[in-house]
C-alpha cells in the first residue's frame, strides 16, 4: 500500500507555479532521495506531505488520509510523518534528553518511565548517550541534528522527511548525520524521503531517486538505474 500518493498536484505561491502536476506514489518502507537544483521545489514538495504547505489542485494522500479533505486530522498526520529540517530548532533551555521527551509526553501522553527509556535508547542509536544532560549550546551542530532526529523518532512516525538535513552543518559533521540516517532507514520499515545533494548517500541508501526541476518530476527511477543512466 502506498504511504504517500500525489495525484495531479498543483502548488502555487500566489501566481508562481511551484509544483506542476505531480504524480507520485511512494510505498511503505521505501527510502527515496529527492534531488534537483536550488529552487526546483524539493522543499515545497516535502513540506506539502505534512501539511506545512497547502496545495491548490489535485489530491495528496498520506497514510490513507487525503490532506485536501477537511475532515483529515492534520495533527495525526504530523504525528505519523516526522520532519527534520536544515535548522534543528531544539529547545535551547532544555537538555538533550528533555528535548527528546517533550513531544511524546505531551502528544502521546507516555508515562515518564517509558518515555525516558525510549528517549535514552534513541540517544544511543544516534550516538549521543553521553550527551543526554548537555544543553544544546554545549554540543556541535552535527550532534544537535542527531538530537533532532532522535526527537522525531520518539514520536514513532510511519514516515520521515529530511529537508537538506546536512546543509547547515560544517563539512566534518555531515557524514555522522548521514550515517545515522542511513542506519535508521536500513533498520526500520519506515518510509523516508530525503532531500540532499550528497550523491554517495543517494547511491548507498536510497532505493529510488527522484529528480525535480522547475517544479516537475524529470526522473523517477530505481537507484541503480538512475546511476547507470545519469
Ligand atoms: P528547493 O527546495 O528545490 O530549493 P523550494 O521548494 O524551496 O525549492 O522553492 C521552490 C520555488 O518556490 C522557488 O522559486 C522559491 O523561491 C519559491 N518559494 C518557496 N517558498 C515560497 C514562498 N513561501 N512564497 C513564495 N515563493 C516561494
Ligand atoms: P532553503 O534554504 O530551503 O532553500 P529558502 O531560502 O529558499 O530556503 O527559503 C527560506 C524560507 O523562505 C522558506 O520558508 C520559504 O518558504 C520562504 N521563501 C522562499 N522563497 C520565497 C519567495 N520567493 N517569497 C517568499 N518566501 C519565500
Amino acid at each position: 500500500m502506498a504511504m504517500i500518493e500525489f495525484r495531479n498536484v498543483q502548488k502555487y505561491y500566489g501566481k508562481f507555479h511551484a509544483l506542476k502536476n505531480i504524480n507520485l506514489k511512494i510505498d511503505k518502507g521505501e527510502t527515496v532521495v529527492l534531488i534537483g537544483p536550488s529552487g526546483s521545489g524539493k522543499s515545497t514538495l516535502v513540506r506539502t506531505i505534512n501539511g506545512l504547505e497547502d496545495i491548490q489542485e489535485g489530491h495528496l494522500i498520506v497514510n490513507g488520509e487525503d490532506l485536501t479533505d477537511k475532515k483529515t486530522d492534520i495533527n495525526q498526520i504530523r504525528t505519523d510523518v516526522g520532519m527534520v529540517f536544515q535548522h534543528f530548532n531544539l529547545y535551547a533551555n532544555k537538555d538533550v534528553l528533555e528535548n527528546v521527551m517533550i513531544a511524546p509526553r505531551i502528544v502521546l501522553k507516555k508515562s515518564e518511565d517509558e518515555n525516558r527509556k525510549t528517549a535514552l535508547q534513541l540517544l544511543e542509536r544516534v550516538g549521543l548517550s553521553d550527551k543526554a544532560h548537555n544543553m544544546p549550546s554545549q554540543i556541535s551542530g552535527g550532534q544537535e541534528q542527531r538530537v533532532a532526529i532522535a526527537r522525531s523518532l520518539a514520536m514513532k512516525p510511519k514516515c520521515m522527511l529530511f529537508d537538506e538535513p546536512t546543509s547547515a552543518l560544517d563539512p566534518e559533521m555531515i557524514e555522522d548525520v548521514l550515517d545515522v540516517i542511513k542506519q535508521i532507514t536500513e533498520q526500520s520499515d519506515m518510509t523516508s524521503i530525503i532531500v540532499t545533494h550528497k550523491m554517495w548517500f543517494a547511491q548507498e541508501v536510497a532505493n529510488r531517486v527522484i529528480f525535480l526541476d522547475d517544479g516537475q518530476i524529470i526522473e523517477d527511477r530505481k537507484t541503480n538505474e538512475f546511476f547507470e543512466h545519469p
Side-chain angles (χ1 to χ4, degrees):
M1 182 188 135
M3 180 67 209
I4 297 162
E5 186 174 356
F6 286 75
R7 286 191 204 146
N8 305 315
V9 167
Q10 315 281 354
K11 163 72 184 171
Y12 294 87
Y13 291 110
K15 285 184 181 155
F16 181 74
H17 200 173
L19 294 177
K20 299 175 178 167
N21 200 40
I22 300 293
N23 283 286
L24 176 63
K25 235 185 200 181
I26 297 176
D27 283 331
K28 289 202 166 126
E30 280 199 86
T31 301
V32 177
V33 160
L34 188 56
I35 61 174
S38 177
S40 58
K42 306 181 295 297
S43 183
T44 300
L45 190 149
V46 294
R47 290 162 65 90
T48 60
I49 297 169
N50 67 354
L52 286 176
E53 297 288 352
D54 57 359
I55 61 171
Q56 278 64 53
E57 283 178 43
H59 291 275
L60 176 44
I61 296 137
V62 178
N63 195 30
E65 302 285 338
D66 190 337
L67 296 196
T68 60
D69 183 339
K70 286 191 177 60
K71 290 193 291 271
T72 295
D73 177 2
I74 193 67
N75 290 322
Q76 183 59 48
I77 299 287
R78 287 180 185 155
T79 302
D80 292 338
V81 180
M83 182 142 180
V84 171
F85 302 88
Q86 193 173 336
H87 297 282
F88 348 108
N89 304 318
L90 299 180
Y91 299 103
N93 59 345
K94 308 219 182 278
D95 71 15
V96 163
L97 180 63
E98 185 60 16
N99 263 280
V100 179
M101 289 176 66
I102 291 173
R105 181 186 300 130
I106 296 172
V107 181
L108 305 180
K109 313 230 185 302
K110 267 191 155 182
S111 78
E112 205 59 13
D113 281 355
E114 195 197 340
N115 194 13
R116 178 180 302 266
K117 193 172 153 213
T118 311
L120 288 169
Q121 282 167 353
L122 286 168
L123 287 176
E124 190 178 344
R125 244 175 117 183
V126 301
L128 292 175
S129 291
D130 57 333
K131 303 290 181 198
H133 296 295
N134 283 54
M135 301 303 278
S137 59
Q138 298 170 315
I139 60 177
S140 73
Q143 291 169 338
E144 281 189 89
Q145 190 60 302
R146 285 185 276 149
V147 176
I149 293 169
R151 180 179 58 177
S152 281
L153 292 175
M155 295 296 284
K156 290 207 178 303
K158 297 186 169 72
C159 174
M160 281 289 289
L161 309 173
F162 297 90
D163 189 5
E164 299 204 22
T166 63
S167 56
L169 299 177
D170 292 335
E172 67 272 21
M173 294 168 185
I174 291 174
E175 201 149 329
D176 282 351
V177 170
L178 290 179
D179 280 343
V180 163
I181 297 173
K182 176 175 183 209
Q183 169 225 314
I184 287 162
T185 57
E186 285 172 355
Q187 293 173 5
S188 77
D189 54 5
M190 262 187 330
T191 308
S192 300
I193 304 179
I194 303 131
V195 177
T196 182
H197 297 284
K198 302 290 170 207
M199 286 301 143
W200 69 263
F201 179 85
Q203 196 153 12
E204 270 185 38
V205 182
N207 71 292
R208 180 171 167 190
V209 179
I210 294 173
F211 180 77
L212 210 62
D213 193 13
D214 191 24
Q216 300 178 70
I217 294 176
I218 304 295
E219 294 268 4
D220 178 357
R221 289 175 183 272
K222 294 217 175 298
T223 303
N224 53 357
E225 290 171 15
F226 185 89
F227 286 100
E228 273 166 26
H229 311 280

